[in-house]
Amino acid sequence: MSNDRYGLSRVIGEKGVLPQRARKLDPALPCREAELLIDVESLNIDAASFKQIKDEVGAEPARIAARVQEIVRERGKMQNPVTGSGGMLIGRVKEIGPKHPAHGELQPGDRIATLVSLSLTPLVIEEVKAVHPSIDRVDIRGHAILFVTGLYAKLPTDMPDTLALAALDVCGAPALVARWVRPGMTVAVLGAGKSGALCLAQARRDLKGQGRLLALDISEQALATLKGLGLCDITLKVDATQAVDVMEAVSRATDGALCDLVINCASVGNTEMASILSVKDGGAVIFFSMATSFTAAALGAEGVGKDVTMLVGNGYVPGHAELTLELLRAEPALRRLFETRYV
Amino acid sequence: MSNDRYGLSRVIGEKGVLPQRARKLDPALPCREAELLIDVESLNIDAASFKQIKDEVGAEPARIAARVQEIVRERGKMQNPVTGSGGMLIGRVKEIGPKHPAHGELQPGDRIATLVSLSLTPLVIEEVKAVHPSIDRVDIRGHAILFVTGLYAKLPTDMPDTLALAALDVCGAPALVARWVRPGMTVAVLGAGKSGALCLAQARRDLKGQGRLLALDISEQALATLKGLGLCDITLKVDATQAVDVMEAVSRATDGALCDLVINCASVGNTEMASILSVKDGGAVIFFSMATSFTAAALGAEGVGKDVTMLVGNGYVPGHAELTLELLRAEPALRRLFETRYV
Ligand SMILES: NC(=O)c1ccc[n+]([C@@H]2O[C@H](COP(=O)([O-])OP(=O)(O)OC[C@H]3O[C@@H](n4cnc5c(N)ncnc54)[C@H](OP(=O)(O)O)[C@@H]3O)[C@@H](O)[C@H]2O)c1
Ligand SMILES: NC(=O)c1ccc[n+]([C@@H]2O[C@H](COP(=O)([O-])OP(=O)(O)OC[C@H]3O[C@@H](n4cnc5c(N)ncnc54)[C@H](OP(=O)(O)O)[C@@H]3O)[C@@H](O)[C@H]2O)c1
């Protein structure tokens, strides 16, 4: 299979199963034609997965290291068998197969971060060099493989890894916002945390000085910070689970007009109706919150007879990593916010 | 509250709660300014709710009637306290408040069906006239109230109620399809059942003779029927839970090009990846299936690096009822299919 875009040929013993679902991957060398080989420096393990491992074996670094090695030896990938989740990795490009699209774009030696989950990335650990329990990180010597469809970002040299990773973690959000915001719109961001701040900054650019930008959050302090940094026009302190309260606050702030676009970046569940009710007829909602319920959104919009376009926030939009890093460079206030709060 | 679009003033004892979530509604007369009053003929109770009632009190009509009356007396609406679901009703317009948008459109005496759930519709039952356990229907004398945002459809006189209701049940699907299909597209419908057939017929119209229409289903016979009626160009017998199989079948049928738009109308879960993998980069998926998982769609698209616009199928699009009834009138083959299979 020379055109194995999804890494199906790396799955052991289960035909027609994608690597993410597979019980076991084959991470053996050599690197194949349509693959990218990485010399791995460190694994950033998903928070839920790292916690499960700590709960299981205790906080001692040697025991965590042993458990991580055991999982990767058994599965050929760092996918926690209990939580199902992975994480991402940092490393240097070692080899680029002639049929991999990074050919020409990346050079051996370039430092990259993977933007697809470790739960689908073939991995071999030769040695664990250090475990950093406070930041869910494991430094290793070993190799990993990216398929044609496996997303990555070249790590910038003008900012620390930690800053770049914090932004890359949610880079799909501002990139999708850039596709939907037009000058003159009234745009609201519900949940003004890490991804919310990036969405506000991106929306601000795409509004080009026309339109209105609302930030909604339960935390007065988060809102004050954003307002202080000039990332929004209006702040509304609301509980996003209280749909009618949110609608009334948005209605007052927009003279009854409501929003053209609501971007849901809340970290809690049960916020679908607040988003739907805050949009004017013919408007749109982008749901990024992973706590979004499909049926609550679909049945909710129908129940209130709202003509609203509802989008599932896709974590991938072409160019999303570059767009997000550029945003940090172009907006010093945003960069400072990330440095103080999310690094 | 003269502009109470959502019926908040009909909720008893819970401020800022929408009627659907409310424990109890006040269905008392008179009809208010922004309301529509209906003389109810019959309730079509949601299948899950009707089954729960039968399981609880037994199949005897008098006991089912008593339980339905008890629920409506307690809650002011026919929302099953166990399943949470409602259903819809048929009746005649009795009064149209001066601030209700149907003013001018409907006349007292017109027969209508409500397209919003009974779980949010104030209702009084004066008398149960008959219970029809085989079709989940209860004939009553009583009244119900629709808010400004409460959807309804005028019942046509040129087809039986049962036929109209079967189509109106899923009328949001073809109406949203009409918004997204353009001539020249390659469009696939996954799950060629009731809503799938309407989506195919609507897509056929919007393609205007250019493009390709694929029907995918697990049932060979359903596909043969659709092909025989001329509702699609290509049929593919696939199991939509097998993502890679579906992608390979779609790829073969489209010479590797894949689809511009996939419409997911499958009645089973775990079909997100089949939809995503069958779309070309830059394409779109509309998820109508209520078994869709938000996280499976969001994380799935990112995991395979697919640039795909993913829509939550909103059950309401303006004009959806008229569009769907028109489709049945204009496509005799579709009408015959509905008459033989879904009535
Ligand atoms: N699909 C994608 O590609 C994608 C991309 C980006 C983000 N996401 C998802 O989006 C969500 C947010 O991510 P994040 O990193 O931005 O999280 P975050 O930094 O924790 O931000 C969430 C914000 O929501 C606020 N919030 C919590 N409860 C609220 C309530 N009841 N009402 C109003 N606001 C409330 C939080 O305020 P407090 O701090 O006061 O609690 C916080 O400011 C997550 O589910 C994430 O997975 C998905
Ligand atoms: N949001 C909205 O407004 C809206 C509108 C319309 C529909 N919907 C939802 O869409 C879904 C479908 O509704 P419907 O009334 O069209 O249902 P339906 O008539 O039962 O059609 C579902 C079709 O999916 C097929 N199917 C079942 N398992 C499959 C599999 N593994 N692979 C491929 N096909 C499979 C079924 O085939 P068999 O008959 O052989 O099982 C059937 O032909 C429901 O969840 C419904 O609630 C939502």
Side-chain angles (χ1 to χ4, degrees), chain A residues 21 270 306-307 310 312, chain B residues 21 179 270 310 312 314:
Chain A
R21 285 277 184 87
N270 201 11
K306 179 76 81 172
D307 176 18
M310 295 183 284
V312 177
Chain B
R21 284 276 184 88
R179 279 204 180 161
N270 200 11
M310 295 183 285
V312 177
N314 184 351

Side-chain angles (χ1 to χ4, degrees), chain A residues 6 16 21 149 179 244 247 270 287 289-290 292 294-295 304-308 310-312 314-316 318, chain B residues 6 16 21 149 179 244 247 270 287 289-290 292 294-295 302 304-308 310-312 314-316 318:
Chain A
Y6 300 104
R21 285 277 184 87
T149 51
R179 279 205 180 160
V244 176
M247 171 183 72
N270 201 11
F287 288 104
S289 170
M290 285 299 163
T292 303
F294 180 88
T295 46
V304 296
K306 179 76 81 172
D307 176 18
V308 53
M310 295 183 284
L311 293 147
V312 177
N314 185 350
Y316 173 59
Chain B
Y6 301 104
R21 284 276 184 88
T149 51
R179 279 204 180 161
V244 175
M247 170 183 72
N270 200 11
F287 289 105
S289 170
M290 286 300 163
T292 302
F294 181 87
T295 46
E302 183 174 354
V304 298
K306 178 77 78 171
D307 175 18
V308 53
M310 295 183 285
L311 293 148
V312 177
N314 184 351
Y316 173 59

Side-chain angles (χ1 to χ4, degrees), chain B residues 170 191-195 217-219 238-240 265-268 288 290 313 315:
Chain B
V170 293
K194 189 163 87 162
S195 60
D217 202 287
I218 200 165
S219 149
V238 293
D239 179 348
C265 292
S267 50
V268 294
F288 285 111
M290 286 300 163

Side-chain angles (χ1 to χ4, degrees), chain A residues 166 169-174 190-199 216-220 222 226 236-242 246 264-269 271 287-292 312-316 320 341-342, chain B residues 294 298-299 302:
Chain A
D169 178 38
V170 293
C171 64
L190 194 60
K194 189 163 86 163
S195 58
L198 284 172
C199 289
L216 286 74
D217 201 287
I218 199 164
S219 149
E220 189 99 61
L226 291 174
L236 299 174
K237 180 181 169 344
V238 293
D239 178 348
T241 65
Q242 301 299 309
V246 174
N264 185 322
C265 292
S267 50
V268 295
T271 64
F287 288 104
F288 284 111
S289 170
M290 285 299 163
T292 303
V312 177
N314 185 350
Y316 173 59
H320 61 340
R341 189 165 300 175
Y342 303 115
Chain B
F294 181 87
L299 298 177
E302 183 174 354

Side-chain angles (χ1 to χ4, degrees), chain B residues 237-315:
Chain B
K237 179 180 171 345
V238 293
D239 179 348
T241 65
Q242 300 300 309
V244 175
D245 288 350
V246 174
M247 170 183 72
E248 288 173 351
V250 171
S251 180
R252 274 193 302 272
T254 58
D255 304 314
L258 301 178
C259 301
D260 298 285
L261 177 66
V262 169
I263 301 157
N264 186 322
C265 292
S267 50
V268 294
N270 200 11
T271 64
E272 300 84 4
M273 282 314 289
S275 310
I276 290 166
L277 291 178
S278 297
V279 162
K280 59 176 78 160
D281 272 307
V285 177
I286 309 179
F287 289 105
F288 285 111
S289 170
M290 286 300 163
T292 302
S293 151
F294 181 87
T295 46
L299 298 177
E302 183 174 354
V304 298
K306 178 77 78 171
D307 175 18
V308 53
T309 297
M310 295 183 285
L311 293 148
V312 177
N314 184 351

Side-chain angles (χ1 to χ4, degrees), chain A:
Chain A
M1 253 208 234
S2 74
N3 189 18
D4 183 16
R5 298 170 52 79
Y6 300 104
L8 296 171
S9 65
R10 289 283 184 182
V11 174
I12 296 178
E14 296 169 283
K15 213 197 132 312
V17 169
L18 289 164
Q20 175 132 42
R21 285 277 184 87
R23 226 190 40 72
K24 187 167 181 167
L25 301 182
D26 169 16
L29 296 176
C31 172
R32 301 179 188 172
E33 275 196 316
E35 293 178 344
L36 179 76
L37 180 65
I38 305 166
D39 250 345
V40 182
E41 286 177 17
S42 54
L43 309 175
N44 281 63
I45 299 192
D46 169 76
S49 170
F50 204 86
K51 178 170 183 307
Q52 190 278 326
I53 292 172
K54 267 197 295 199
D55 290 350
E56 189 181 315
V57 304
E60 205 195 308
R63 304 196 60 169
I64 294 174
R67 180 66 187 129
V68 168
Q69 281 175 294
E70 184 183 34
I71 291 173
V72 174
R73 214 163 29 233
E74 273 171 16
R75 306 201 66 174
K77 58 179 176 174
M78 181 51 215
Q79 180 174 30
N80 185 312
V82 178
T83 65
S85 56
M88 41 88 73
L89 63 81
I90 287 184
R92 283 185 192 276
V93 174
K94 180 141 192 209
E95 195 180 326
I96 307 161
K99 293 197 174 159
H100 192 280
H103 201 75
E105 246 179 58
L106 288 180
Q107 302 296 329
D110 283 348
R111 282 187 84 233
I112 63 173
T114 57
L115 301 181
V116 279
S117 174
L118 290 178
S119 62
L120 57 82
T121 306
L123 175 68
V124 169
I125 297 180
E126 272 149 34
E127 182 198 348
V128 172
K129 297 206 233 165
V131 175
H132 308 277
S134 64
I135 51 170
D136 305 347
R137 202 176 83 196
V138 180
D139 298 336
I140 69 158
R141 195 163 51 78
H143 75 258
I145 288 163
L146 276 192
F147 312 123
V148 168
T149 51
L151 306 171
Y152 62 85
K154 215 163 144 170
L155 281 167
T157 53
D158 59 347
M159 58 183 87
D161 285 355
T162 46
L163 175 61
L165 293 185
L168 291 173
D169 178 38
V170 293
C171 64
L176 195 56
V177 164
R179 279 205 180 160
W180 285 83
V181 173
R182 297 282 168 276
M185 282 185 169
T186 297
V187 178
V189 174
L190 194 60
K194 189 163 86 163
S195 58
L198 284 172
C199 289
L200 285 167
Q202 182 63 43
R204 167 72 87 209
R205 311 197 111 196
D206 296 313
L207 286 175
K208 297 190 199 299
Q210 296 155 259
R212 251 179 316 192
L213 200 46
L214 285 69
L216 286 74
D217 201 287
I218 199 164
S219 149
E220 189 99 61
Q221 201 217 313
L223 291 172
T225 307
L226 291 174
K227 190 77 184 288
L229 296 177
L231 288 175
C232 58
D233 302 316
I234 299 167
T235 59
L236 299 174
K237 180 181 169 344
V238 293
D239 178 348
T241 65
Q242 301 299 309
V244 176
D245 288 350
V246 174
M247 171 183 72
E248 288 172 351
V250 170
S251 180
R252 274 192 302 273
T254 57
D255 304 314
L258 301 176
C259 301
D260 298 286
L261 178 65
V262 170
I263 301 157
N264 185 322
C265 292
S267 50
V268 295
N270 201 11
T271 64
E272 299 84 5
M273 282 315 289
S275 310
I276 290 166
L277 291 178
S278 298
V279 162
K280 58 176 79 160
D281 272 306
V285 177
I286 309 179
F287 288 104
F288 284 111
S289 170
M290 285 299 163
T292 303
S293 151
F294 180 88
T295 46
L299 298 177
E302 183 173 355
V304 296
K306 179 76 81 172
D307 176 18
V308 53
T309 297
M310 295 183 284
L311 293 147
V312 177
N314 185 350
Y316 173 59
V317 174
H320 61 340
E322 300 72 20
L323 175 141
T324 301
L325 296 176
E326 266 309 304
L327 207 51
L328 284 186
R329 290 190 188 103
E331 308 279 350
L334 182 69
R335 178 167 174 162
R336 272 196 305 280
L337 176 69
F338 265 70
E339 283 166 347
T340 53
R341 189 165 300 175
Y342 303 115
V343 164

